[in-house]
Amino acid sequence: MDIRKVVIPVAGWGTRSLPATKNIPKEMLPIYKKPVVQYVVEEAIQTGLSDVIFVNNQNKKIIEDHFDYNLVLEELLRRKGKTELLEEVRGVAEMANIISVRQKVQKGLGHAVLCAREIVKDEAFGVMVGDDLIFGMEPGIKQLVDVAKAEKKAVIGVVEVPRNKVDRYGIIEGEEYESGLFRVNNLVEKPAIEDAPSQMAIVGRYVLIPEIFDHLEHVKPGVGGEIQLTDALQGLASDGKLLAVRMAGRRFDAGDWAEYLTANIYFALQDEQLRDGLVKNLLELLPCK
């Protein structure tokens, strides 16, 4: 199973992040010194996924532009002798082979994945959702790629969430046959809290096989009137072709304001030049106990 391509849906409106996303794509909001989407692409590249397929809309071309050369800016940096910044800017443009397809009408995550069918063709491929950022010793999507290659099946990433938050996620029902590895029997998109089959929630990392497209073509609109990827995954689960991996690492939901701001602090604290000043300022803001 050779996995080279990753689909990154970026056509959504980012309503959870309004009003900041009125004119700026949520994927371009900065976390520390880089936009959200760059972290996602870097994770893919670190895993060996070389072809990045953005499923985009007509209003968010700036995402593609971010991964292109900016010759005017590069010439300015060259003239000013800012070699390190120049190399960093050019490195963003050279990190991946960027392919873009249009999702002309936003009909959900499942529909966005289906839009990439003609580019993915008959290959296994990754799907990464930009709202979920996962950082750790091993790239998030690589944890799934390794299992998919070994088991020759589709794999989804899951984390355990509090019972009172299960209605915000797709939830799996399955059996843990190895530590952190599940056979998935059933999936439910945003179940009522009392109906959730578990607390294992699907997060935005998937490795899928080409059969998913046939299931997506026949899925009827589900929660929110959208084509839900979770509903199509049920077809793979019913065929015994779907596994789940409990993901390791620190996860941030970039669509949640508290977690988005925490992610900024998390990365700023890694910068030795910023750390002391940041800690001092935070201590001044925090109320004394």
Side-chain angles (χ1 to χ4, degrees), residues 4-275:
R4 301 178 299 112
K5 297 175 181 176
V6 59
V7 175
I8 304 180
V10 294
W13 292 107
T15 53
R16 288 197 298 164
S17 300
L18 285 170
T21 51
K22 178 182 177 182
N23 292 303
I24 300 172
K26 65 178 179 179
E27 296 83 5
M28 292 301 296
L29 293 177
I31 290 182
Y32 183 46
K33 293 183 178 181
K34 296 184 285 193
V36 171
V37 69
Q38 186 173 331
Y39 289 100
V40 178
V41 172
E42 288 175 347
E43 180 185 322
I45 299 308
Q46 291 164 6
T47 304
L49 306 178
S50 55
D51 294 342
V52 174
I53 305 164
F54 286 129
V55 182
N56 206 347
N57 71 38
Q58 62 180 335
N59 298 309
K60 299 172 78 172
K61 188 174 178 294
I62 188 175
I63 296 173
E64 299 156 26
D65 291 345
H66 179 71
F67 294 94
D68 200 351
Y69 294 113
N70 185 328
L71 299 181
V72 174
L73 173 61
E74 290 173 19
E75 179 58 28
L76 175 66
L77 294 174
R78 188 177 292 108
R79 290 203 310 267
K80 290 182 175 292
K82 297 186 176 182
T83 306
E84 187 173 332
L85 274 176
L86 174 60
E87 291 177 353
E88 186 173 355
V89 168
R90 287 190 66 85
V92 174
E94 295 169 351
M95 68 171 55
N97 178 34
I98 301 296
I99 304 164
S100 183
V101 298
R102 285 283 178 89
Q103 184 183 21
K104 297 179 181 179
V105 181
Q106 283 65 61
K107 297 181 181 179
L109 178 58
H111 180 259
V113 173
L114 187 57
C115 288
R117 182 174 195 169
E118 292 305 312
I119 297 175
V120 171
K121 297 188 183 299
D122 59 353
E123 300 179 36
F125 63 102
V127 175
M128 301 175 69
V129 179
D131 283 353
D132 275 308
L133 299 179
I134 299 170
F135 304 99
M137 295 296 292
E138 186 175 40
I141 192 68
K142 186 178 187 299
Q143 298 173 40
L144 309 189
V145 167
D146 289 346
V147 173
K149 287 182 176 180
E151 302 288 340
K152 305 297 188 291
K153 294 181 180 181
V155 185
I156 59 178
V158 295
V159 297
E160 188 169 1
V161 298
R163 172 63 65 173
N164 64 350
K165 292 185 177 181
V166 294
D167 57 349
R168 305 179 188 180
Y169 297 88
I171 302 294
I172 70 163
E173 176 185 355
E175 54 184 293
E176 188 171 12
Y177 68 97
E178 290 183 18
S179 179
L181 190 57
F182 300 81
R183 291 188 183 92
V184 180
N185 301 319
N186 191 32
L187 309 95
V188 185
E189 180 66 23
K190 297 180 180 177
I193 293 174
E194 62 273 15
D195 296 331
S198 75
Q199 292 173 234
M200 301 307 298
I202 305 168
V203 293
R205 299 293 183 271
Y206 311 77
V207 174
L208 302 178
I209 53 180
E211 290 97 309
I212 191 66
F213 294 121
D214 293 330
H215 292 294
L216 283 168
E217 282 194 332
H218 295 96
V219 164
K220 295 180 180 179
V223 175
E226 298 181 334
I227 304 299
Q228 297 290 347
L229 180 57
T230 303
D231 295 338
L233 289 170
Q234 180 62 58
L236 296 181
S238 299
D239 293 338
K241 296 181 178 180
L242 185 63
L243 304 176
V245 170
R246 188 197 304 267
M247 303 203 70
R250 183 68 167 87
R251 172 180 174 256
F252 297 102
D253 178 358
D256 178 283
W257 279 115
E259 293 203 22
Y260 169 81
L261 295 170
T262 302
N264 273 279
I265 295 171
Y266 173 86
F267 280 100
L269 288 173
Q270 316 305 314
D271 188 326
E272 293 182 359
Q273 294 182 330
L274 288 178
R275 185 187 301 130

